[in-house]
Amino acid sequence: AAALGRAERYPAGARRCGLEGEGRLRLSIGPGGELLAADILASTGAATLDREMRAMARRAAPFPPPPAGPAELIVPIRFRLP
């Protein structure tokens, strides 16, 4: 989850429009830490923020290798403006 936080970029268009939201992302991580899939389980309610959730996962990869081989993680992601 920390790697995702470092990879977050609030989309400029969403920022201008004041869009906020919270979604859930399922990450499938391969045995070497590679991102196999990033699936949206719960939408933020805004397509631009949903796209950013997936983009965050791609930017954060590779992840630390899971100790027991391939793994799936479910991660909540919140977009809030200051």
Side-chain angles (χ1 to χ4, degrees):
L4 284 174
R6 289 188 298 273
E8 182 180 338
R9 296 182 188 145
Y10 215 107
R15 185 180 299 278
R16 279 191 305 275
C17 293
L19 295 177
E20 296 183 327
E22 184 171 339
R24 283 195 335 262
L25 195 62
R26 178 177 52 213
L27 303 177
S28 298
I29 310 295
E34 67 276 12
L35 179 65
L36 301 176
D39 301 309
I40 295 174
L41 296 181
S43 173
T44 62
T48 187
L49 296 179
D50 288 349
R51 284 190 301 273
E52 177 56 20
M53 284 198 299
R54 282 193 176 123
M56 285 170 58
R58 288 190 302 271
R59 284 192 300 272
F63 296 92
E72 284 194 354
L73 305 170
I74 297 176
V75 182
I77 298 176
R78 182 178 302 144
F79 292 93
R80 294 280 182 255
L81 293 169

